[in-house]
Amino acid sequence: MERGGAAAAACGGVVVVPPAAAAVKDSWPELVGVSSEAAKEKIREERPEVDVQVVPGDAFVTMDYNAGRVRVFVDSDDKVARAPKIG
């Protein structure tokens, strides 16, 4: 038997392929304009292993890349000013 072998024959010739692993999310453009607290909650829900840091939009920050960090830049109204991303 070709592709799928006995298992495919048992299913009437249909080969069931599991979906690929979901891509790990690394940015949240949909959070622009929401409150910092709502953004932190959403990011922690989707990536509980990362450190979420809320930072004023005009703050100076280090330029190093850190795969375990998400910076949430906020405006003066505590709303997300730009898309949070890993780094």
Side-chain angles (χ1 to χ4, degrees):
M1 216 165 243
E2 57 193 82
R3 247 180 131 196
C11 294
V14 175
V15 177
V16 178
V17 179
V24 176
K25 192 156 188 180
D26 64 356
S27 67
W28 292 263
E30 72 276 12
L31 297 179
V32 173
V34 304
S35 72
S36 66
E37 284 301 314
K40 282 180 9 181
E41 184 177 316
K42 180 68 172 172
I43 294 166
R44 286 183 177 149
E45 177 183 304
E46 294 180 359
R47 295 289 302 272
E49 76 282 6
V50 300
D51 177 32
V52 181
Q53 301 173 351
V54 176
V55 183
D58 59 354
F60 289 101
V61 295
T62 59
M63 296 302 294
D64 63 314
Y65 181 84
N66 180 339
R69 173 182 65 210
V70 175
R71 287 186 175 137
V72 178
F73 290 93
V74 295
D75 61 19
S76 58
D77 294 324
D78 197 41
K79 303 289 184 198
V80 178
R82 55 185 160 182
K85 62 182 180 178
I86 294 288

